[in-house]
Amino acid sequence: MSDLINTARASIDRVLHGDATAEDVLATIDVIDALKALARDLAGRSESAIIKWIDQHGQIERGEVRYYTGPNVTIKCRNHEATVEAVLSASHGDLAAVARCLSSSAWKAGAVRELLPPDEMDGLFEVVVSKDLRTGKPLKHLKKADSRFAKPKEIE
């Protein structure tokens, strides 16, 4: 494992010093992806082992933090239309009350964009670009586009 970490550090250093080739950059991406996969595997294995230990020996506390086991629970809406109708009815049509029942990312911007004209869309949604606190410039992130999953564009 330390070989993988050393390889990653050397690969990153090569890219940082500016004398890297495109192959060096791709090798850096590959070694970091391998480290991420290893971390995910170790996290999953350790969580399983810790759950088993806690189930046998009981919860663990460290200061204010308590580690215990329990089911993974999520709450999902079964019927969006019926929920909107029920909330509208219960709030007597108060749209502000309905809006308070929505989560921060309740709207699928892409789906809304297909229904609304651009000027109305721009008035309802904003694009927020994260900025570096020191420089005020937009933060850049490595992005990846896989043409196997791209939606084909219509030819006009």
Side-chain angles (χ1 to χ4, degrees), residues 47-149:
E47 185 171 344
S48 295
I50 292 166
I51 288 170
K52 184 177 178 182
W53 190 95
I54 289 174
D55 284 346
Q56 291 174 349
H57 302 283
Q59 67 182 17
I60 304 170
E61 293 183 23
R62 180 193 299 155
E64 301 297 319
V65 179
R66 179 172 59 103
Y67 295 92
Y68 62 99
T69 64
N72 186 17
V73 177
T74 57
I75 300 173
K76 295 183 179 182
C77 182
R78 289 188 180 124
N79 184 320
H80 294 285
E81 294 84 1
T83 301
V84 169
E85 287 178 10
V87 172
L88 270 171
S89 175
S91 66
H92 306 290
D94 182 354
L95 289 179
V98 173
R100 285 192 301 273
C101 294
L102 298 173
S103 69
S104 63
S105 59
W107 299 101
K108 295 179 182 176
V112 174
R113 185 179 293 113
E114 290 179 8
L115 294 174
L116 300 180
D119 58 332
E120 191 172 355
M121 180 73 183
D122 291 343
L124 296 171
F125 289 83
E126 68 177 321
V127 176
V128 178
V129 178
S130 300
K131 295 187 179 183
D132 185 308
L133 291 175
R134 289 176 288 141
T135 64
K137 294 181 180 178
L139 286 174
K140 288 190 176 182
H141 293 277
L142 178 62
K143 297 185 176 191
K144 177 179 169 181
D146 190 329
S147 61
R148 295 173 297 171
F149 303 109

Side-chain angles (χ1 to χ4, degrees), residues 2-44:
S2 63
D3 288 343
L4 185 58
I5 293 170
N6 290 335
T7 300
R9 286 182 175 146
S11 185
I12 293 166
D13 287 343
R14 210 173 14 263
V15 173
L16 281 173
H17 286 85
D19 58 349
T21 65
E23 287 301 316
D24 292 332
V25 173
L26 292 172
T28 301
I29 290 170
D30 291 343
V31 73
I32 296 304
D33 284 347
L35 280 170
K36 288 177 184 176
L38 177 61
R40 280 190 302 273
D41 176 60
L42 292 173

